[in-house]
Each structure stands twice: as C-alpha cells, then as structure tokens.
Amino acid sequence: MRKFVAALAAAAAATLYPFAAGAQTYPERTITVVVPFAAGGPTDTVTRLVAEAMSKDLGQQVIVENVGGAGGTLGAGRVAKAEPDGYTLLLHHIGMATSATLYRKLAYDTLNAFEYVGLVTEVPMTIVGRKDLEPTDLKGLVEYAKANKDSITVANAGIGAASHLCGMLFMSGIKTPLVTVPYKGTGPAMTDLLGGQVDIMCDQTTNTTKQIKGGTIKAYAVTSPERLDVLPDVPTTTEGGLPEVQVGIWHAIYAPKGTPAEITERLSKSLQVALKDQNVAARFAELGTKPSPEADATPAALKAKLEGEIGRWKPIIEAAGQYAD
Ligand code: MLT
C-alpha cells in the first residue's frame, strides 16, 4: 500500500510539474534554434556562430532551422506554438519588436508568447549597391535614386525585417518612395545583388562586410554614429548627408512561453559562455559587430529591451501608417 501511495504521489507530481524532472537533466538531446530568415543571411550567420559555442557548453548539439517569410513572423509563430521544453528556441532581431505593430494580425502575442533567454549582439547596417551601379558616394546615390525612382530597386527581407526598416528610413530621408523587392532573407537578396538583379539594399555588416572588402558590391555608408574599424573607408550616413538613417539591429534568443525558468536560466548562462568564446568574438569582430555584454545576455535584460523597443517603434510605425496587412 505504501508503495502504491508513493507511486501515486510520483505520478501526480509528474503531472503537476511535467517539466521539473526534465529541467534538472536538461539538455538530454539536440536543441533546435529557429532562424526566422533564409539561410546564408545575417541572422543565420550570427546564430550558427553562437549555436556552435553553446553546443560545446551544453554538451548537446544546437542546430539551426531556417523558417523564413513575412519579415520573420512565420518563424517566430512556429516557436510560439512549439513545446515549451527548451528544445525549440528562436533567435530573432529587432523585427520581433517592430512586427508587434507592423502586423495587426499576428498569429502570436509578442509579449506573452515567449520566455526570454538574453541579448546576443547589436549589428550596424550598411547601404550597399550592385558593383556596377553608377553613383560612387551616398550623395550621388541619393540624386540617382530620386532621378530613377520608378526603376531603381531596393531589396529587403519582408515587412518588419531590418533591411525593410532601414530601407524605409532611407526613403523617408530622401523623401522619395522607391520600388522594393522582398525576399525571405537578405541571404538570397545578396545573391541577387551580386548578380545585378536588384540595385541597392540596406543590410547588416554581418552580411555585407566580406562582399564590400572583396569589391563585389559597392558600399555607400554605414548607419552607425562612427565609422567602423572593420570598414574604415566607408563613411557614416551623417558624413554622407543623411543623419536620420541611423540604426543598429539587436538580436536575442527566446523560448516558447511556459519553458521552465531553470531551463531559460541554463540557456542564458550558456549564451554568456558562448559570447565569451574566442572564435565567436573574433568572427563577430571580422563581421563588424561584437557580443552583447554579459549583463545583457539575461532574461531580465531582454524582457526590458523588448518592452522598450515595442514602445519606441509603435508611435513611429503608427505615424507612418504603413502596416503589413
Ligand atoms: C536575414 O537574416 O536575412 C536578415 O536579418 C533579414 C533582415 O532583417 O533584413
């Protein structure tokens, strides 16, 4: 009888706290990080570097799954509905905050559908063009874009993507709407820029630095307040006469709502270890970015960041009246 009661108590505890036991031994199998953009792009690059370092720390493989489309909202929606067991995560960027306003009919409630792991990095952007585009500097590009506003094409990764926001800032800065071409990520957009199928793009240094240095695309400006060590010859937008085009793209890791706190804390600690990994730091530097400080790679810091950023972008998007639906 005593044995039966003990078994009953254990079964009841397992039903009431289904994840507690799992949390103690986590992780026991492969973890998937969903990247809500196509492979080969900037979010994918950052995620693969961090995932490799987290794999070492967690003792389990951390693999990447690309679920691109609708400016990152399809991939985020997938993770919002995933099992909250720590085996499906999301690495998304600033689009997590902007899409909360840009999309009036999102399939998830941004602030209530996720648990927070921590901030990963903040990446500057670059305004770039195909190699044989005529203008040689930002001033020339602005004149050229105004003169060819119905034919010059601006690539982006869909409404709410970083490239879309930066493209909108550029168009608003030059007070001229241009033709936009959406992709599932700026990885495939870069392929078309290299092939000359699109003319310009505003994209993260993690996707453009190698091409700029290799001379396969033209760099017009960086969107940071200062020039970047990694691209010392590329002027800032302020130097080029467009100070309003300044933006940095922060990235962060989330888990589905209901993931036990022990697991998100474990992941956060692992993220902090990954951000101190020498390979991650060196590759980030080569790509024009750097790891978030340890204090920001925490659930509390990310929660505060996301809430603040939703609040910051809401009035800007509402004033522009440009929604995705
Ligand atoms: C990507 O990974 O493709 C980008 O982060 C897309 C974007 O937001 O521009």
Side-chain angles (χ1 to χ4, degrees), residues 139-225:
K139 205 163 161 287
L141 179 67
V142 171
E143 280 161 19
Y144 182 87
K146 285 183 170 191
N148 297 280
K149 66 181 173 54
D150 296 324
S151 58
I152 188 169
T153 48
V154 189
N156 68 38
I159 294 185
S163 41
H164 170 247
L165 295 174
C166 188
M168 283 210 309
L169 280 177
F170 178 71
M171 289 181 234
S172 129
I174 70 170
K175 299 183 182 54
T176 312
L178 305 172
V179 183
T180 58
V181 184
Y183 291 79
K184 283 193 174 174
T186 52
M190 177 60 79
T191 305
D192 274 9
L193 192 70
L194 290 167
Q197 280 89 14
V198 281
D199 297 316
I200 59 171
M201 172 159 73
C202 185
D203 197 16
Q204 298 165 66
T205 54
T206 35
N207 205 32
T208 58
T209 301
K210 189 171 151 222
Q211 312 292 356
I212 294 170
K213 282 176 170 285
T216 51
I217 56 174
K218 237 174 214 175
Y220 291 102
V222 290
T223 68
S224 44

Side-chain angles (χ1 to χ4, degrees), residues 66-137:
N66 299 88
V67 184
T73 61
L74 293 185
R78 162 86 75 87
V79 177
K81 288 200 210 88
E83 205 59 56
D85 55 7
Y87 292 100
T88 309
L89 308 174
L90 171 71
L91 197 150
H92 200 345
H93 60 33
I94 190 171
M96 185 78 156
T98 53
S99 55
T101 307
L102 277 166
Y103 287 77
R104 285 173 293 192
K105 288 186 204 133
L106 267 188
Y108 52 90
D109 173 353
T110 305
L111 276 176
N112 293 305
F114 301 94
E115 305 289 351
Y116 305 92
V117 175
L119 286 151
V120 175
T121 183
E122 178 150 338
V123 185
M125 301 197 86
T126 44
I127 299 175
V128 293
R130 61 180 158 78
K131 191 182 169 184
D132 51 358
L133 199 63
E134 271 170 46
T136 52
D137 59 14

